[in-house]
Short mmCIF file of all heavy atoms in Angstrom, two decimals:
data_model
loop_
_atom_site.label_atom_id
_atom_site.label_comp_id
_atom_site.label_asym_id
_atom_site.label_seq_id
_atom_site.Cartn_x
_atom_site.Cartn_y
_atom_site.Cartn_z
N LEU U 286 -4.98 16.43 -0.38
CA LEU U 286 -4.08 15.32 -0.08
C LEU U 286 -3.58 15.39 1.36
O LEU U 286 -3.38 14.35 2.01
CB LEU U 286 -2.89 15.33 -1.04
CG LEU U 286 -3.22 15.03 -2.50
CD1 LEU U 286 -2.00 15.28 -3.39
CD2 LEU U 286 -3.69 13.58 -2.67
N ALA U 287 -3.35 16.59 1.87
CA ALA U 287 -2.87 16.72 3.23
C ALA U 287 -3.93 16.31 4.25
O ALA U 287 -3.61 15.72 5.29
CB ALA U 287 -2.42 18.16 3.50
N GLU U 288 -5.20 16.60 3.95
CA GLU U 288 -6.28 16.26 4.87
C GLU U 288 -6.68 14.80 4.74
O GLU U 288 -6.81 14.08 5.71
CB GLU U 288 -7.48 17.18 4.63
CG GLU U 288 -7.24 18.62 5.05
CD GLU U 288 -7.00 18.75 6.55
OE1 GLU U 288 -7.64 18.01 7.31
OE2 GLU U 288 -6.17 19.58 6.93
N GLY U 289 -6.89 14.38 3.51
CA GLY U 289 -7.15 12.97 3.23
C GLY U 289 -8.43 12.43 3.79
O GLY U 289 -9.33 12.02 3.04
N VAL U 290 -8.56 12.43 5.10
CA VAL U 290 -9.67 11.76 5.76
C VAL U 290 -11.01 12.34 5.30
O VAL U 290 -12.00 11.62 5.17
CB VAL U 290 -9.53 11.89 7.29
CG1 VAL U 290 -10.73 11.27 7.99
CG2 VAL U 290 -8.24 11.22 7.75
N GLN U 291 -11.05 13.63 5.04
CA GLN U 291 -12.31 14.26 4.63
C GLN U 291 -12.81 13.72 3.29
O GLN U 291 -13.99 13.80 3.00
CB GLN U 291 -12.12 15.78 4.54
CG GLN U 291 -11.80 16.43 5.87
CD GLN U 291 -11.64 17.93 5.75
OE1 GLN U 291 -11.81 18.49 4.67
NE2 GLN U 291 -11.29 18.58 6.85
N THR U 292 -11.92 13.19 2.48
CA THR U 292 -12.32 12.65 1.19
C THR U 292 -12.44 11.12 1.22
O THR U 292 -12.68 10.50 0.20
CB THR U 292 -11.29 13.04 0.11
OG1 THR U 292 -10.01 12.49 0.44
CG2 THR U 292 -11.18 14.55 0.01
N GLY U 293 -12.25 10.54 2.39
CA GLY U 293 -12.36 9.10 2.51
C GLY U 293 -11.09 8.35 2.19
O GLY U 293 -11.06 7.12 2.26
N GLY U 294 -10.03 9.04 1.84
CA GLY U 294 -8.76 8.39 1.53
C GLY U 294 -7.71 8.73 2.56
O GLY U 294 -7.94 9.50 3.50
N PRO U 295 -6.52 8.16 2.41
CA PRO U 295 -5.44 8.45 3.36
C PRO U 295 -4.89 9.85 3.16
O PRO U 295 -4.91 10.39 2.06
CB PRO U 295 -4.39 7.40 3.01
CG PRO U 295 -4.62 7.11 1.56
CD PRO U 295 -6.11 7.22 1.36
N ALA U 296 -4.40 10.44 4.24
CA ALA U 296 -3.69 11.70 4.13
C ALA U 296 -2.29 11.44 3.59
O ALA U 296 -1.74 10.35 3.74
CB ALA U 296 -3.61 12.38 5.49
N CYS U 297 -1.71 12.45 2.94
CA CYS U 297 -0.41 12.26 2.30
C CYS U 297 0.56 13.38 2.65
O CYS U 297 0.17 14.55 2.74
CB CYS U 297 -0.56 12.21 0.78
SG CYS U 297 -1.49 10.80 0.15
N HIS U 298 1.82 13.02 2.84
CA HIS U 298 2.93 13.96 2.78
C HIS U 298 3.32 14.04 1.30
O HIS U 298 3.73 13.04 0.72
CB HIS U 298 4.13 13.48 3.60
CG HIS U 298 3.84 13.21 5.04
ND1 HIS U 298 3.27 14.14 5.88
CD2 HIS U 298 4.05 12.09 5.79
CE1 HIS U 298 3.15 13.63 7.09
NE2 HIS U 298 3.60 12.39 7.07
N VAL U 299 3.20 15.20 0.68
CA VAL U 299 3.38 15.30 -0.76
C VAL U 299 4.71 15.97 -1.11
O VAL U 299 5.01 17.06 -0.61
CB VAL U 299 2.23 16.10 -1.41
CG1 VAL U 299 2.41 16.16 -2.93
CG2 VAL U 299 0.89 15.47 -1.07
N ALA U 300 5.48 15.32 -1.96
CA ALA U 300 6.67 15.92 -2.57
C ALA U 300 6.41 16.01 -4.07
O ALA U 300 6.16 14.99 -4.71
CB ALA U 300 7.91 15.09 -2.29
N ALA U 301 6.45 17.22 -4.61
CA ALA U 301 6.19 17.44 -6.04
C ALA U 301 7.38 18.17 -6.63
O ALA U 301 7.43 19.40 -6.63
CB ALA U 301 4.91 18.23 -6.24
N PRO U 302 8.36 17.43 -7.14
CA PRO U 302 9.58 18.07 -7.66
C PRO U 302 9.43 18.56 -9.10
O PRO U 302 8.58 18.07 -9.86
CB PRO U 302 10.61 16.94 -7.58
CG PRO U 302 9.81 15.68 -7.64
CD PRO U 302 8.45 15.98 -7.10
N SER U 303 10.26 19.54 -9.44
CA SER U 303 10.45 19.92 -10.84
C SER U 303 11.48 18.98 -11.43
O SER U 303 12.55 18.77 -10.84
CB SER U 303 10.96 21.37 -10.95
OG SER U 303 10.03 22.28 -10.42
N LEU U 304 11.18 18.41 -12.58
CA LEU U 304 12.15 17.55 -13.24
C LEU U 304 13.46 18.31 -13.48
O LEU U 304 13.43 19.52 -13.74
CB LEU U 304 11.61 17.07 -14.58
CG LEU U 304 10.47 16.05 -14.57
CD1 LEU U 304 9.83 15.96 -15.95
CD2 LEU U 304 10.97 14.68 -14.14
N PRO U 305 14.60 17.66 -13.39
CA PRO U 305 15.84 18.30 -13.85
C PRO U 305 15.66 18.82 -15.28
O PRO U 305 15.02 18.16 -16.10
CB PRO U 305 16.86 17.17 -13.79
CG PRO U 305 16.35 16.27 -12.70
CD PRO U 305 14.84 16.32 -12.83
N ASN U 306 16.15 20.01 -15.56
CA ASN U 306 15.96 20.72 -16.83
C ASN U 306 14.62 21.44 -16.91
O ASN U 306 14.32 22.06 -17.94
CB ASN U 306 16.11 19.81 -18.06
CG ASN U 306 17.56 19.53 -18.42
OD1 ASN U 306 18.46 20.30 -18.08
ND2 ASN U 306 17.79 18.43 -19.11
N PHE U 307 13.82 21.37 -15.87
CA PHE U 307 12.50 22.00 -15.85
C PHE U 307 12.41 22.97 -14.68
O PHE U 307 13.00 22.75 -13.62
CB PHE U 307 11.38 20.96 -15.69
CG PHE U 307 11.10 20.10 -16.90
CD1 PHE U 307 12.02 19.16 -17.33
CD2 PHE U 307 9.89 20.22 -17.58
CE1 PHE U 307 11.75 18.35 -18.43
CE2 PHE U 307 9.61 19.42 -18.67
CZ PHE U 307 10.54 18.48 -19.10
N GLY U 308 11.60 24.01 -14.86
CA GLY U 308 11.25 24.89 -13.76
C GLY U 308 12.45 25.41 -13.00
O GLY U 308 13.41 25.92 -13.57
N PHE U 309 12.41 25.24 -11.68
CA PHE U 309 13.46 25.78 -10.81
C PHE U 309 14.51 24.75 -10.45
O PHE U 309 15.37 25.02 -9.60
CB PHE U 309 12.82 26.36 -9.55
CG PHE U 309 11.76 27.38 -9.84
CD1 PHE U 309 10.49 27.27 -9.29
CD2 PHE U 309 12.02 28.46 -10.68
CE1 PHE U 309 9.50 28.20 -9.57
CE2 PHE U 309 11.04 29.39 -10.97
CZ PHE U 309 9.77 29.27 -10.41
#
Side-chain angles (χ1 to χ4, degrees):
L286 293 171
E288 290 296 324
V290 177
Q291 296 181 3
T292 61
C297 295
H298 303 305
V299 182
S303 298
L304 289 166
N306 281 337
F307 287 68
F309 305 127

